[in-house]
Amino acid sequence: MDIESRSQHGVRPMITLSLKDLAVRRGDRTLFEGLDLDVAPGEAVSLTGANGAGKSSLLRVVAGLLAPVAGAVRFEEGGQALEPAEARARHLHLLGHQDGFRSGRTAADELAFQVGWCGGTVEAMEAAVRRLALGALLPLEVRRLSAGQRRRLALARLLAAPRPVWLLDEPLSPLDSHWRAEVGQILQAHLEGGGMVLAAVHDPLPIPARTCPVGGAA
Amino acid sequence: MNGAGLLLRREMALAWNGGGGPLLACGFLLSLAVIVPLGAGPQLDQLANLAPGLVWLALSLASLLTLERLFERDFEDGTLDLLAMGPLADEAVVGVKVLAHWLTIGLPLALMTLPVGISLGLAPDQLPLLAVTAALGALAFSFTGGLGAALAIGARKGGLLIAVIVLPLFLPPVIFGAGALVAQADGRSPGPALALLAACVLVAGVVGVLAGAAGLRGSRT
């Protein structure tokens, strides 16, 4: 049994997410309003929309890093509402364009910190490194990695520190076709383990996913 | 390892990564120590009278120099978002980062005030007190600086903004730290000034951590 199914079939909370009448504004521009969305465990949702429509902002609102001007983000575990701060600290992964890797440190150091910070174990990290074929890259400084290699390094954190809700901002864009397929399998395994994927995308995800259009702005 | 230990270790490693750690700030401190006696002329006794104040001026300016990097790079590369998804509250994140700043930069600077004190003509028997007050003062500067750096996250000309926020708040440690040295030189007990300096550290600790956490939250808009 490969790594992602092993780490994800363990005891993990079943989290549901509901967004109600959400409105988000950046500066004096309203990106979208009246957005409703319910996501169940095992479900993937593609957020689609033009550049600047508010997909990334929506992910940050769901993560609790950005406050909506109206509406609510609600995480539930077994019918019990979760505190936003607790959900963020224990149940969410956010993978954005800025991955938090310091370019002058080695990939190994940076990954070990991120995995430890998010509550993952060393064994799970080693398994994630094997799954994403990162072994040869670990001794390199992060600045020497290509965009796709860097994205795989960031994905290793998601595998090594199991959290049910994955908020992904164009997760596949820098990856080649081989790794797009591999990551598709990883996402599929995450969903089968009861996880949830909310991904801002321009190309369709390689897994069955509901589509949620965001905003109208061009 | 728990979250605070992990973060502390990373911060200490980062201080030496690509920035030369405390070397830059220490070099700045030593340059001041060279410039002031050369500029002030050959009257050694006059210089010695001013030495406590000059040492503290140099320490506060050298601390200021290092503050811009405290949160700005974390903000730019997305580390602040990651830190928000982890086990520590914002207050604890600020506290750990400030502590790392003191350990990697504040303490070396405090040590470096000793040659500066000697070059300015400070009496040798005052050096132990200088080391203690400088270490305490550097801690107050780190906490206060954490506040300023967190409030300036994402600002253009952040370094200047930090200086304007932070320099007035540096005054009390400077007054009591230099005051302790002056009191000892005059044959009085440095105790009261030392106690007030320690009180400054405590106030800076509480205010710096709370206001710094508010600054982190504010940077997420």
Side-chain angles (χ1 to χ4, degrees), chain A residues 26 60 63-67 85 88-90 92-94 98-106 109-110 112-118 141 143 150 157 163 167, chain B residues 1-4 6-11 13-14 17-18 69 73-88 90 93 97 217 219-221:
Chain A
R26 299 310 302 264
R60 290 178 67 77
L65 298 175
L66 192 65
R88 187 170 73 221
R90 295 188 41 218
L92 266 61
H93 272 306
L94 175 65
Q98 291 170 310
D99 46 29
F101 293 124
R102 189 58 55 90
S103 54
R105 293 233 298 163
T106 65
D109 285 345
E110 286 297 273
F113 169 73
Q114 291 202 352
V115 169
W117 183 252
C118 293
E141 286 186 0
R143 76 172 98 230
R150 208 169 154 140
R157 156 167 61 95
R163 294 181 171 196
L167 308 171
Chain B
M1 196 185 295
N2 65 11
L6 266 177
L7 182 58
L8 187 67
R9 239 181 36 168
R10 177 168 192 263
E11 289 294 322
L14 279 176
N17 181 275
R69 282 167 40 132
R73 290 182 71 179
D74 290 343
F75 173 69
E76 284 165 2
D77 71 7
T79 304
L80 284 187
D81 289 343
L82 180 81
L83 293 182
M85 319 281 299
L88 294 191
D90 292 325
V93 168
K97 285 182 72 78
R217 283 190 283 274
S219 76
R220 288 188 203 128
T221 54

Side-chain angles (χ1 to χ4, degrees), chain A:
Chain A
M1 179 178 283
D2 55 10
I3 146 71
E4 70 272 22
S5 21
R6 212 173 342 119
S7 66
Q8 288 164 15
H9 284 279
V11 182
R12 58 164 20 195
M14 290 289 179
I15 306 271
T16 60
L17 164 68
S18 66
L19 311 179
K20 284 219 165 41
D21 198 24
L22 211 57
V24 169
R25 189 179 295 160
R26 299 310 302 264
D28 50 7
R29 198 163 76 94
T30 300
L31 295 176
F32 55 83
E33 50 196 350
L35 189 134
D36 292 291
L37 180 65
D38 290 286
V39 193
E43 217 180 349
V45 176
S46 299
L47 307 173
T48 57
N51 296 136
K55 302 183 295 293
S56 302
S57 297
L58 174 59
L59 291 176
R60 290 178 67 77
V61 167
V62 173
L65 298 175
L66 192 65
V69 286
V73 176
R74 193 178 154 90
F75 288 100
E76 283 184 10
E77 180 179 1
Q80 289 266 310
L82 286 170
E83 285 289 317
E86 195 207 343
R88 187 170 73 221
R90 295 188 41 218
H91 303 306
L92 266 61
H93 272 306
L94 175 65
L95 182 66
H97 298 294
Q98 291 170 310
D99 46 29
F101 293 124
R102 189 58 55 90
S103 54
R105 293 233 298 163
T106 65
D109 285 345
E110 286 297 273
L111 182 62
F113 169 73
Q114 291 202 352
V115 169
W117 183 252
C118 293
T121 63
V122 175
E123 295 76 41
M125 183 175 77
E126 284 163 358
V129 164
R130 280 195 299 278
R131 178 69 179 87
L132 289 159
L134 291 168
L137 304 177
L138 285 186
L140 300 180
E141 286 186 0
V142 174
R143 76 172 98 230
R144 299 189 51 199
L145 303 185
S146 75
Q149 291 170 331
R150 208 169 154 140
R151 179 56 52 88
R152 268 152 59 203
L153 189 66
L155 282 162
R157 156 167 61 95
L158 274 59
L159 282 183
R163 294 181 171 196
V165 181
W166 287 7
L167 308 171
L168 314 174
D169 198 349
E170 297 187 39
L172 305 175
S173 54
L175 298 176
D176 61 30
S177 55
H178 167 71
W179 282 106
R180 285 187 184 207
E182 290 286 332
V183 170
Q185 289 175 18
I186 288 171
L187 294 178
Q188 187 63 45
H190 177 64
L191 297 178
E192 282 162 10
M196 172 190 301
V197 171
L198 209 57
V201 291
H202 289 295
D203 303 320
L205 286 174
I207 52 171
R210 202 143 54 92
T211 300
C212 170
V214 177

Side-chain angles (χ1 to χ4, degrees), chain B residues 56-76:
Chain B
W56 276 84
L57 178 74
L59 179 64
S60 58
L61 290 182
S63 306
L64 188 64
L65 200 66
T66 63
L67 293 175
E68 194 177 0
R69 282 167 40 132
L70 195 52
F71 292 107
E72 198 56 31
R73 290 182 71 179
D74 290 343
F75 173 69
E76 284 165 2

